[in-house]
Amino acid sequence: MSFGMESSGRNPQNYRHPLSLSICMMGEQIQAPTSPRDGENISITQGLPKTTEVKSGTLMGVFIPCLQNILGIIYFIRFTWIVGMAGIGESLVLVSFCGLCTFLTSISLSAIATNGAMKGGGPYYLIGRALGPEVGVSIGLCFFLGNAVAGALYVLGAVETFLNAVPAAGLFRETVTKVNGTTVAAPIQSPSSHDLQVYGIIVTILLCFIVFGGVKMINRVAPAFLIPVLFSVVSIFLGIFVARKNDPSDGITGLSLESFKENWSSDYQMTNSAGIPDPLGKVYWNFNALVGLFFPAVTGIMAGSNRSASLKDTQRSIPIGTLAATLTTTALYLVSVLLFGALATREKLLTDRLLTATVAWPFPALIYVGIILSTLGAALQSLTGAPRLLAAIANDDILPILNYFKVADGSEPYFATLFTAFLCIGCVIIGNLDLITPTVTMFFLLCYAGVNLSCFLLDLLDAPSWRPRWRFHHWSLSLLGASLCVVIMFLISWSFTIVSLALASLLYYYVCLRGKAGDWGDGFKSAYFQLALRSLRSLGASQVHPKNWYPIPLIFCRPWGKLPENVPCHPKLADFANCMKKKGRGMSIFVSILDGDYHERVEDAKAACKQLATYIDYKRCEGVAEIVVAPTMSEGFRGIVQTMGLGNLKPNIVVMRYPEIWRRENLIEIPTTFVGIINDCIDANKAVVIVKGLDEWPNEFQRQYGTIDLYWIVRDGGLMLLLSQLLLTKETFESCKIQVFCIAEEDSDAEGLKADVKKFLYDLRMQAEVIVITIKSWDTQVEGAQPDESMEAFTAAQGRIASYLGEMKAAAKSRGTTLMADGKPVSVNEQQVGKFLNTTLKLNSTILRYSRMAAVVLVSLPPPPVDHPAYFYMEYLDLLVENVPRLLIVRGYRRDVVTLFT
């Protein structure tokens, strides 16, 4: 993104985007994000990327580092042995197989690396931003371990080469081996494992001192390591072409067709721990084992991406340089297989561990120097890159345990370097090159599989932000590359594979458990989003079948009273919302309404929404927070019930607290608002659940005993029955039993009604005791069996209604109009008012008689009578809930939520 700076001659470092200038003019300060969690991926908001003084091109920045890392110790001291063991044919298959894996990984790497600017961390950064922080950190830590172990691999390779070149330098006795059960004329000696350990520790410590000198010192000496490598390769090829039979050593045949034919097939056999053939050895080699031994010879393709910050053009250099290095080394290996197979006898290939030095021309001794310097250079790169990878993971602030390894920008990761050196020395103490290489292979294969899966996911989702400059990629190639990585892992060793996958899984679980949440815009979030859209389209707008019905509660956070400071919702509302979900599955929508003008209170709404969302997470309730700004609460709620949700994912139940303080706080406004909300829910065909006694609602640690009593008065589609069953799925209410109370007109109808309800509950797979109450018994209660507190409440309600009605008539007379209430004309039938009060009294007295000790009571919500003032309806409800400590008032909607059929 140049903005035309090159053509205008501006200095990029002094250029300021017009947007940033306007922000500065307004006096606002925008803090630059320090981690992806704070929004670092939104690079367009941060102006142009910072430039550094030194920038590398494709050759020096990508191709040479990759070539130096790929072409290393395995080629010089193990490749001829691999050809002798596997034969020319299977060696070609081996090289092609491993080369195809890294080639496909390079394609995936090129696609991801050209989809935006890269920061520190190399493949960890790419995987983490594609698959999420959990996967990124787990694979990144494995890749760090792979680099640390690879450092030990290179150190041991350099030490073994040195001890073979200078046997007198050995401090311990060397090992003499036999080949094919007979003593060879020239005894075959291999360095002592103790020598490898001692010299390996010394070399590792010396390399660490160089690493502590900083990147500048490393960059100054790094090019010197490449020259011996190239010179060694040239010397080896010259020596192959000038070699003659038994010259320069016995077993050398020169380029011979006969040797080529004899070495075409494989000759897998037993060897000792040093790789020397021995019928009594404990190690048996086959193709699978050779894959594990050879694969480190094709690793190193991430070297260019690790230096993305110092490249002039990452979009061009990484694809070209990485693929060129991969293809060059693979071609070199294929040609070397053919030449080495025709150069010497199989016995020579298997016993001369440094055949490359034996045949080198003109000075074989220089090969030792070249091998040592090349392996030390690769070890130095590993000890340099691994600490920076660990520091990049720590700087993302995902795992608090890694805070010790954080470094400031431009600083050296000293603590991470010490930790890496400790791991490297531990691997050096093992002292066996062939045991270390499979471990390195597993960690690198995990990283390559992560890169391929990242590209596969991004290609498959094809989000609008997925626009890589590298066009030669396809999701099928990435899937094939990831599959090859997994296949190679199991070919090498299923036990090592299980251990490495278990380690990655444990790291993933640990990050999920202890890590800090962050949103990096990863592919999984995109997949979830596309899956949600597809699911929403498949659901359509038609009604959901009762078998698939889930409660989607709209939790109205109106407190109807005062709450503690910084508490945006009644604490027990979240507990009740969890009780409406089976095994935690479902979604709740927490809604609050701010009174006022939207333009004036938009920032308050954002802050309130963030606070409410934080509180929902704190209460461990699966749900989302929404804040609506409206002139009045009634208008805001009316808009919510009409527009909230999409398709069949609209909320179907409105849950709110019963306003027990309405008489103390506001005698007119609360009843009008509360009754208006109920009417809006009925008009919008939403079910309603009103919780009375919310302060006493039990939390997840307060186990309840007794009964859950249902007073099934009105047909509600089975919602009340379903809610009772959902309550039983919670540990709080699992010890309770359900009682269903029904009303019969005559005593003769009681038994038939009881049998029908039992049959209905049986078909619904619900266990409950059915109790039938007749209207005659109700009338008996009214005559004198009702509790004293019910009569007191009834008498008080009658008096308040009569007083309110008198005030209404007086006001209407003074105005010369009809009766007015809640801003609209009303028609009050005093006999109907008395009937409502008597019916409510009967129900309240019945609840107190049968369910005074119930854990929770559910009762049908009567609809607000037409043309009755809201004040009257509140008096009816107050009489209904009087002296009932914990009550759910439920109203269903015009559809069934349970079904009899399978």
Side-chain angles (χ1 to χ4, degrees):
M1 189 181 299
S2 62
F3 297 105
M5 290 186 300
E6 290 80 356
S7 59
S8 60
R10 299 177 185 172
N11 185 352
Q13 294 180 338
N14 299 327
Y15 176 77
R16 302 187 70 182
H17 193 275
L19 179 60
S20 64
L21 290 174
S22 63
I23 292 175
C24 293
M25 292 175 62
M26 291 185 292
E28 297 184 8
Q29 298 292 330
I30 297 181
Q31 183 178 2
T34 59
S35 73
R37 182 177 301 96
D38 302 321
E40 73 169 346
N41 284 339
I42 312 176
S43 58
I44 194 170
T45 63
Q46 302 302 320
L48 295 176
K50 296 181 180 180
T51 58
T52 56
E53 294 182 0
V54 180
K55 292 290 184 179
S56 303
T58 302
L59 181 64
M60 296 303 299
V62 180
F63 179 76
I64 297 302
C66 288
L67 189 66
Q68 186 176 5
N69 279 268
I70 296 173
L71 191 62
I73 180 67
I74 300 297
Y75 177 76
F76 291 108
I77 69 175
R78 287 292 185 270
F79 198 70
T80 56
W81 182 89
I82 291 174
V83 174
M85 185 68 70
I88 298 174
E90 293 192 18
S91 295
L92 292 174
V93 175
L94 174 66
V95 173
S96 302
F97 188 57
C98 296
L100 178 63
C101 178
T102 55
F103 176 73
L104 295 176
T105 304
S106 299
I107 292 178
S108 299
L109 173 67
S110 301
I112 303 177
T114 57
N115 193 49
M118 288 181 57
K119 297 185 181 296
Y124 154 72
Y125 181 87
L126 299 178
I127 296 173
R129 273 59 179 179
L131 300 182
E134 296 85 1
V135 179
V137 171
S138 58
I139 294 182
L141 289 176
C142 289
F143 190 59
F144 158 74
L145 292 175
N147 277 277
V149 175
L153 168 69
Y154 298 132
V155 168
L156 287 175
V159 171
E160 182 176 345
T161 304
F162 170 73
L163 291 176
N164 278 310
V166 188
L171 304 177
F172 300 90
R173 185 178 180 181
E174 296 176 338
T175 304
V176 180
T177 64
K178 297 180 180 180
V179 181
N180 296 329
T182 60
T183 304
V184 185
I188 303 169
Q189 298 179 341
S190 60
S192 170
S193 60
H194 299 298
D195 286 333
L196 294 176
Q197 294 167 352
V198 172
Y199 280 101
I201 293 174
I202 295 174
V203 171
T204 303
I205 295 175
L206 293 176
L207 291 176
C208 287
F209 279 112
I210 299 177
V211 173
F212 272 108
V215 178
K216 292 183 178 179
M217 178 182 294
I218 297 171
N219 288 338
R220 288 173 183 172
V221 299
F225 291 112
L226 181 62
I227 298 175
V229 175
L230 298 178
F231 182 78
S232 300
V233 173
V234 172
S235 298
I236 291 171
F237 277 87
L238 289 176
I240 290 174
F241 287 106
V242 300
R244 297 293 181 266
K245 187 173 183 178
N246 294 326
D247 182 24
S249 176
D250 292 339
I252 302 295
T253 63
L255 294 177
S256 168
L257 182 60
E258 183 178 351
S259 298
F260 186 90
K261 293 178 179 180
E262 291 179 354
N263 293 330
W264 177 261
S265 60
S266 61
D267 185 19
Y268 298 117
Q269 54 187 293
M270 304 293 295
T271 69
N272 62 10
S273 59
I276 304 300
D278 185 356
L280 303 179
K282 297 181 179 180
V283 181
Y284 178 76
W285 291 91
N286 53 24
F287 183 82
N288 297 351
L290 291 182
V291 172
L293 178 62
F294 174 72
F295 194 82
V298 297
T299 60
I301 59 176
M302 302 294 178
S305 61
N306 289 336
R307 306 185 180 194
S308 57
S310 61
L311 297 176
K312 294 179 181 178
D313 187 359
T314 57
Q315 313 290 323
R316 183 176 184 274
S317 297
I318 290 180
I320 296 177
T322 304
L323 287 170
T326 303
L327 294 175
T328 300
T329 52
T330 302
L332 173 65
Y333 291 151
L334 292 173
V335 172
S336 298
V337 168
L338 300 175
L339 295 179
F340 287 145
L343 177 64
T345 63
R346 188 182 300 273
E347 182 180 345
K348 186 66 174 177
L349 293 173
L350 291 174
T351 56
D352 192 344
R353 301 296 297 273
L354 282 170
L355 182 61
T356 53
T358 301
V359 301
W361 186 87
F363 304 110
L366 292 180
I367 298 300
Y368 290 95
V369 178
I371 295 174
I372 293 173
L373 290 180
S374 66
T375 51
L376 289 180
L380 188 63
Q381 294 294 335
S382 296
L383 292 176
T384 303
R388 280 154 181 78
L389 174 60
L390 183 61
I393 299 175
N395 285 341
D396 277 341
D397 200 24
I398 300 296
L399 285 179
I401 196 174
L402 299 180
N403 288 342
Y404 301 102
F405 304 116
K406 284 185 177 180
V407 293
D409 292 339
S411 302
E412 293 294 326
Y414 294 116
F415 286 105
T417 302
L418 286 175
F419 183 68
T420 305
F422 175 79
L423 291 178
C424 186
I425 290 175
C427 294
V428 167
I429 292 175
I430 297 176
N432 192 320
L433 191 65
D434 297 331
L435 291 179
I436 291 179
T437 48
T439 307
V440 177
T441 303
M442 292 300 172
F443 290 139
F444 279 97
L445 280 169
L446 271 179
C447 178
Y448 295 167
V451 172
N452 282 300
L453 286 177
S454 301
C455 187
F456 166 73
L457 183 63
L458 295 174
D459 254 332
L460 198 63
L461 296 174
D462 199 18
S465 61
W466 176 243
R467 302 185 304 276
R469 292 183 181 272
W470 180 257
R471 300 295 183 183
F472 305 102
H473 62 92
H474 193 266
W475 64 265
S476 59
L477 297 178
S478 300
L479 181 60
L480 177 60
S483 302
L484 281 178
C485 292
V486 176
V487 168
I488 291 175
M489 291 176 69
F490 280 98
L491 282 178
I492 296 170
S493 171
W494 65 267
S495 57
F496 272 101
T497 302
I498 298 299
V499 170
S500 59
L501 292 177
L503 176 61
S505 300
L506 287 175
L507 291 173
Y508 177 85
Y509 178 75
Y510 181 77
V511 174
C512 294
L513 190 65
R514 298 293 184 183
K516 298 180 181 179
D519 186 4
W520 291 352
D522 54 86
F524 281 129
K525 296 293 179 62
S526 179
Y528 297 153
F529 183 75
Q530 291 197 23
L531 182 61
L533 291 180
R534 181 171 298 179
S535 301
L536 187 61
R537 289 196 302 267
S538 64
L539 284 175
S542 59
Q543 289 188 351
V544 178
H545 193 277
K547 289 190 296 184
N548 299 323
W549 188 88
Y550 282 84
I552 305 178
L554 177 70
I555 311 298
F556 188 40
C557 297
R558 182 70 174 184
W560 307 117
K562 294 182 180 180
L563 291 176
E565 187 178 358
N566 297 326
V567 178
C569 177
H570 195 290
K572 296 300 181 69
L573 270 178
D575 294 331
F576 180 73
N578 283 328
C579 289
M580 299 182 68
K581 303 171 186 176
K582 186 175 182 179
K583 298 181 180 179
R585 291 192 294 264
M587 180 182 69
S588 302
I589 303 176
F590 289 76
V591 174
S592 187
I593 300 174
L594 296 183
D595 297 334
D597 181 73
Y598 174 74
H599 297 288
E600 295 177 356
R601 304 208 61 183
V602 60
E603 295 300 327
D604 295 338
K606 292 178 182 179
C609 187
K610 184 177 181 180
Q611 184 186 32
L612 182 57
T614 303
Y615 189 75
I616 294 171
D617 292 337
Y618 167 74
K619 295 295 290 184
R620 294 186 296 178
C621 182
E622 292 186 359
V624 295
E626 295 289 345
I627 302 295
V628 176
V629 180
T632 64
M633 181 177 296
S634 298
E635 293 183 20
F637 186 83
R638 195 167 293 123
I640 288 172
V641 296
Q642 293 181 79
T643 60
M644 187 67 67
L646 292 172
N648 274 317
L649 290 183
K650 290 183 177 180
N652 46 33
I653 302 178
V654 176
V655 179
M656 57 183 169
R657 182 188 185 187
Y658 182 76
E660 301 174 50
I661 50 88
W662 71 276
R663 205 186 309 280
R664 300 191 304 269
E665 296 288 335
N666 195 319
L667 201 62
I668 303 299
E669 181 182 350
I670 292 180
T672 303
T673 303
F674 183 73
V675 175
I677 289 174
I678 295 176
N679 284 322
D680 290 339
C681 292
I682 295 174
D683 294 338
N685 195 27
K686 306 289 185 185
V688 182
V689 176
I690 301 171
V691 188
K692 192 264 181 181
L694 190 61
D695 294 332
E696 288 77 31
W697 190 264
N699 58 34
E700 57 182 332
F701 305 108
Q702 296 173 327
R703 185 177 291 272
Q704 301 297 302
Y705 300 93
T707 60
I708 298 175
D709 292 352
L710 282 64
Y711 286 83
W712 199 8
I713 310 300
V714 181
R715 183 181 183 275
D716 61 357
L719 178 60
M720 193 183 298
L721 294 172
L722 186 61
L723 287 178
S724 65
Q725 293 298 317
L726 291 176
L727 289 176
L728 286 182
T729 62
K730 302 300 175 183
E731 293 184 5
T732 305
F733 294 99
E734 66 180 1
S735 300
C736 297
K737 296 182 179 180
I738 297 177
Q739 293 185 150
V740 178
F741 293 85
C742 301
I743 308 299
E745 294 185 3
E746 300 291 341
D747 292 341
S748 59
D749 300 335
E751 292 302 323
L753 178 60
K754 184 174 183 179
D756 292 341
V757 174
K758 279 189 173 182
K759 178 64 168 57
F760 179 71
L761 295 177
Y762 176 80
D763 292 337
L764 289 176
R765 293 87 63 201
M766 296 181 180
Q767 294 183 352
E769 181 183 357
V770 179
I771 301 174
V772 178
I773 303 173
T774 62
I775 294 180
K776 183 177 180 180
S777 64
W778 251 6
D779 295 335
T780 303
Q781 291 178 35
V782 175
E783 290 175 2
Q786 67 278 0
D788 292 339
E789 56 265 34
S790 295
M791 284 304 300
E792 292 176 4
F794 175 77
T795 304
Q798 277 185 323
R800 288 190 295 268
I801 288 178
S803 175
Y804 187 82
L805 183 59
E807 293 176 2
M808 289 173 55
K809 290 179 179 180
K813 185 176 181 180
S814 64
R815 293 193 305 267
T817 61
T818 58
L819 294 178
M820 298 287 293
D822 309 326
K824 60 183 180 180
V826 295
S827 176
V828 179
N829 186 330
E830 296 187 32
Q831 291 184 348
Q832 191 178 21
V833 172
K835 182 179 179 181
F836 272 109
L837 285 174
N838 283 316
T839 303
T840 307
L841 171 64
K842 295 176 185 179
L843 185 55
N844 177 259
S845 60
T846 302
I847 293 174
L848 293 180
R849 179 181 179 184
Y850 292 99
S851 306
R852 187 182 291 270
M853 302 303 295
V856 61
V857 177
L858 287 78
V859 65
S860 298
L861 173 69
V866 181
D867 293 336
H868 279 222
Y871 178 87
F872 287 9
Y873 184 71
M874 291 302 300
E875 288 288 357
Y876 306 152
L877 290 184
D878 251 12
L879 181 57
L880 174 64
V881 303
E882 184 70 27
N883 296 316
V884 183
R886 197 178 296 150
L887 183 71
L888 300 181
I889 313 173
V890 181
R891 179 173 179 82
Y893 57 116
R894 296 183 294 271
R895 57 162 306 173
D896 292 332
V897 298
V898 293
T899 179
L900 304 177
F901 305 101
T902 182

